[in-house]
Amino acid sequence: MRRFVVLDAMGVLYRHGNVVAGLLIPYLRAHGCTATEPEIRETYRRCTLGEISTHQLWSSLGVAATANDAGYCAQHQLNPGAREALEQLHQAGITPLVLTNDAAAWSRILRTRFDLYAERWYVSSEIGARKPSPEAFRAVRSHPGLDPAETVLVDDRPTNLIAARRPVSVRWFSPARTPPSTRSRGSARRQSAVCGSWQLSSSDQEAQVFWQSAQVPKISRVWLMSA
């Protein structure tokens, strides 16, 4: 049986989770964009759903003369350890997939630039659905050979992980924080004990392999997808 890890890109592989506020808006302002933030966010949403191209995005926001895909993508940074984690997962026989809210043109530039391996990138503009839409998770669940019971889902946004409960049942464990029922003074010590007990199932062990190999500070939740 094949084993999978489904990773978010923004905030997990790449450093910036909120790319609109952290990268896109500053880039647009530097190129003279006067559109309001709601206008920018709506244009970005349409682009990442595949309704308009990235060229149309630059044009509609009035910066096509100077802004471009390469310039925008140059602002992104890779999280430390992300590339090594993908390589180690692959070597361990665990197949990485990526599910990301992004424009296909930008996604191709970034994964080529950073030389990131994943068997498939599920990009919102290509599948026509953005997280936390259930359709986005269903697209990944249809990946050949994927068994939800043997798949780990990694995302830095709790809203995306909560939404994953709709198309599939999800149980969770956080390597960054202890479960809510155990949080109190001294929780760091109990967290260590919990991490040490990750021997419940093969999927738990795979999650531990990923977490130990990826020194990625932005990862805040590891969720285990179960049938």
Side-chain angles (χ1 to χ4, degrees), residues 73 82 112 146 227:
C73 289
T112 299
L146 187 147

Side-chain angles (χ1 to χ4, degrees), residues 1-2 4 140-143 145-153 167-171 203 223-227:
M1 178 181 296
R2 300 184 67 192
F4 293 88
V140 177
R141 193 179 186 185
S142 67
H143 188 83
L146 187 147
D147 178 358
E150 295 293 330
T151 300
V152 179
L153 175 62
V168 291
S169 174
V170 178
R171 55 196 176 90
S203 56
W223 292 58
L224 305 180
M225 300 166 59
S226 59

Side-chain angles (χ1 to χ4, degrees), residues 41-219:
R41 289 187 177 277
E42 174 59 18
T43 305
Y44 173 80
R45 185 194 68 82
R46 293 187 61 207
C47 184
T48 56
L49 280 173
E51 296 175 1
I52 61 173
S53 68
T54 55
H55 177 72
Q56 290 172 313
L57 177 142
W58 305 128
S59 296
S60 64
L61 294 174
V63 295
T66 57
N68 55 59
D69 295 348
Y72 166 66
C73 289
Q75 312 303 305
H76 287 71
Q77 297 177 345
L78 191 67
N79 259 325
R83 184 187 299 109
E84 293 77 9
L86 289 174
E87 293 173 352
Q88 291 178 27
L89 284 166
H90 179 60
Q91 292 170 3
I94 304 167
T95 302
L97 306 173
V98 177
L99 174 61
T100 180
N101 291 341
D102 204 358
W106 297 339
S107 179
R108 285 192 294 269
I109 291 172
L110 289 172
R111 62 189 190 244
T112 299
R113 170 189 167 196
F114 293 124
D115 189 26
L116 298 178
Y117 167 81
E119 180 167 287
R120 179 170 173 182
W121 290 67
Y122 287 88
V123 183
S124 60
S125 71
E126 293 178 325
I127 63 177
R130 285 172 46 88
K131 295 178 293 181
S133 167
E135 287 75 14
F137 297 102
R138 290 194 185 103
V140 177
R141 193 179 186 185
S142 67
H143 188 83
L146 187 147
D147 178 358
E150 295 293 330
T151 300
V152 179
L153 175 62
V154 182
D155 200 299
D156 70 316
R157 295 195 174 210
T159 53
N160 291 337
L161 299 170
I162 292 170
R165 294 187 182 197
R166 297 167 188 162
V168 291
S169 174
V170 178
R171 55 196 176 90
W172 69 272
F173 185 90
S174 168
R177 305 187 181 106
T178 55
S181 61
T182 64
R183 287 180 189 164
S184 63
R185 292 180 182 271
S187 62
R189 181 167 56 255
R190 276 188 288 277
Q191 176 183 342
S192 176
V194 173
C195 288
S197 67
W198 274 21
Q199 305 297 326
L200 301 177
S201 69
S202 60
S203 56
D204 286 337
Q205 293 171 27
E206 289 146 26
Q208 188 177 33
V209 167
F210 172 79
W211 183 247
Q212 289 176 343
S213 64
Q215 298 177 2
V216 184
K218 286 289 185 178
I219 293 179

